[in-house]
Amino acid sequence: MKAEMIVFSGSSHPGLAERVAQRLGKPLGKSHSVKFTNENIMVRIGDNCREKDVFVIQTSSTPVNDHLVELLIFLDAIKYASAGRVTAVIPYFPYCRSDKKDEPRISVAARLMADLIQTSGAARVLTMNLHSPQIQGFFRIPVDQLLAAPIFFEYFDRVLFKEERKEDFVLVMSDAGAAKAFGYYSDELKLPVAIIDKFRPDHSEKPIIRQVIGDVRGKACLIIDDEIASGGTLIEAAEKLAEEGAKRVLAAAVHPVLSGNAVERLVKSPIERIIVGDTVPVRDKIQGHEDRFEVLDLSPLFARAIECIHDGASLSELFPPSVRRRH
Ligand code: R5P
């Protein structure tokens, strides 16, 4: 007999977890999380998990380190509650930009996160648009990486390519990494690509744009990135594109981290509209500036992926063929 499914939410993104649970047609499992005055966190599971197929949804949002530790404790509590299998559903992966040792005496922190998540009891991980594909290889358990592309493509078709002729658009990859990671956008949308030649001289979150490679003059430029953190990349890129004669500048990014005063800075930039996913809570951050942001609900993809994992079905069916090759 197939194990019963039960889905829990950590405290990082209850809104997304609720929408996923609604789509699955089940209430979220009961749990209670406490942070004591000494900053220690306790999680108590309120439902029987014995032999069940358990999913815990917890993203990497502010306060990142608290939410990370809460996830680890959640997984551990479920493991000790005799779950049959535990899947950590991590829409935005913690420390994902620390994915390589490119300086002396630093940690590859994303690999450390993988170790911690496995040690805490996860038997599988479900995540979305990893900053780099090698993060999957940091695990010794199965990692399913969803790509938000189908939901972004649906919005582009339904809205952007209705406002303006599709052939007037150019996809602008925010750097060489984005060009590699999002190559399938151009295959699927059949649009030309330009690339921002960007480098980071230090850790100040102030990227330097050397040039735009490709033709953007008179075009509607849609910048593509995996995440927006300080907003520096998008702002610098947009200013450069405007200088180079772009007709309009828009941006699309899966993970709207929007740290510090990113929103205030972005709304002063030449970017007309910023299309983001909801892998982290974003509504409060953009309050008062809703006209400049479009938030896409990614819960349908997470819900369908959870169903596939539970049923032992392939996740490839969730993506069009050119996207399927990359997930
Ligand atoms: C960088 O490698 C990423 O793809 C993003 O461009 C970066 O994380 C964005 O960060 P920020 O908004 O701080 O420039």
Side-chain angles (χ1 to χ4, degrees):
M1 202 181 68
K2 200 161 80 171
E4 193 189 320
M5 178 202 294
I6 181 160
V7 181
F8 290 97
S9 172
S11 47
S12 60
H13 199 349
L16 177 67
E18 274 298 341
R19 276 179 280 125
V20 170
Q22 266 168 25
R23 287 179 187 278
L24 291 167
K26 324 185 135 274
L28 285 169
K30 294 190 207 69
S31 65
H32 181 58
S33 189
V34 188
K35 188 171 176 189
F36 296 107
T37 49
N38 64 359
E39 296 185 21
N40 288 190
I41 292 170
M42 184 199 80
V43 176
R44 185 169 187 284
I45 309 299
D47 283 307
N48 175 13
C49 296
R50 278 181 195 271
E51 304 307 326
K52 293 195 179 158
D53 190 16
V54 180
F55 294 81
V56 180
I57 304 177
Q58 179 81 319
T59 199
S60 180
S61 62
T62 319
V64 167
N65 295 326
D66 278 0
H67 286 150
L68 170 67
V69 172
E70 188 194 36
L71 169 66
L72 302 177
I73 293 173
F74 219 119
L75 294 171
D76 194 56
I78 287 172
K79 175 177 69 183
Y80 280 100
S82 307
R85 179 178 69 176
V86 188
T87 302
V89 181
I90 312 174
Y92 174 58
F93 195 81
Y95 289 83
C96 58
R97 283 165 70 182
S98 300
D99 58 356
K100 56 192 159 313
K101 189 172 182 306
D102 53 0
E103 284 180 52
R105 299 184 294 279
I106 61 165
S107 160
V108 181
R111 200 263 309 130
L112 177 62
M113 299 303 121
D115 288 349
L116 294 170
I117 291 163
Q118 288 174 102
T119 303
S120 305
R124 308 184 62 91
V125 170
L126 173 64
T127 186
M128 181 171 266
N129 287 79
L130 288 166
H131 182 63
S132 54
Q134 66 261 30
I135 295 174
Q136 267 179 302
F138 294 166
F139 285 89
R140 291 194 174 273
I141 54 174
V143 177
D144 289 307
Q145 180 193 194
L146 295 175
L147 299 174
I151 291 180
F152 277 75
F153 292 172
E154 189 279 329
Y155 175 83
F156 299 159
D157 277 335
R158 181 168 47 83
V159 180
L160 288 195
F161 304 150
K162 293 273 171 8
E163 289 173 5
E164 168 119 25
R165 291 182 332 149
K166 189 175 170 188
E167 42 284 31
D168 289 347
F169 277 90
V170 58
L171 300 174
V172 180
M173 302 300 173
S174 65
D175 58 17
K180 193 163 176 207
F182 293 99
Y184 55 89
Y185 269 52
S186 149
D187 297 343
E188 193 62 30
L189 299 170
K190 307 208 172 13
L191 284 175
V193 167
I195 302 175
I196 301 287
D197 176 13
K198 165 185 114 176
F199 81 105
R200 292 185 186 274
D202 52 33
H203 297 295
S204 64
E205 298 191 316
K206 290 198 183 85
I208 295 191
I209 310 279
R210 277 184 284 231
Q211 59 177 324
V212 180
I213 304 165
D215 187 12
V216 297
R217 185 161 299 279
K219 294 281 194 180
C221 293
L222 177 58
I223 309 174
I224 307 294
D225 210 344
D226 59 336
E227 65 171 62
I228 311 170
S230 68
T233 299
L234 287 190
I235 294 165
E236 298 292 329
E239 283 169 2
K240 191 76 178 166
L241 291 168
E243 249 174 67
E244 302 268 321
K247 179 169 67 168
R248 300 169 66 190
V249 183
L250 302 100
V254 179
H255 308 295
V257 178
L258 298 172
S259 45
N261 60 352
V263 171
E264 286 67 30
R265 294 175 61 225
L266 283 161
V267 296
K268 290 189 198 130
S269 80
I271 310 173
E272 203 180 288
R273 191 179 324 151
I274 303 173
I275 305 143
V276 293
D278 60 352
T279 53
V280 291
V282 65
R283 299 271 173 208
D284 288 351
K285 288 188 177 170
I286 62 170
Q287 220 169 26
H289 301 293
E290 287 85 352
D291 55 327
R292 299 287 292 280
F293 288 85
E294 184 70 43
V295 182
L296 304 183
D297 176 10
L298 300 175
S299 66
L301 270 178
F302 283 101
R304 284 165 65 199
I306 288 173
E307 272 167 351
C308 287
I309 292 169
H310 181 63
D311 294 341
S314 168
L315 264 69
S316 297
E317 309 309 317
L318 306 183
F319 304 101
S322 64
V323 178
R324 194 178 296 170
R325 288 197 298 275
R326 310 297 183 106
H327 87 92

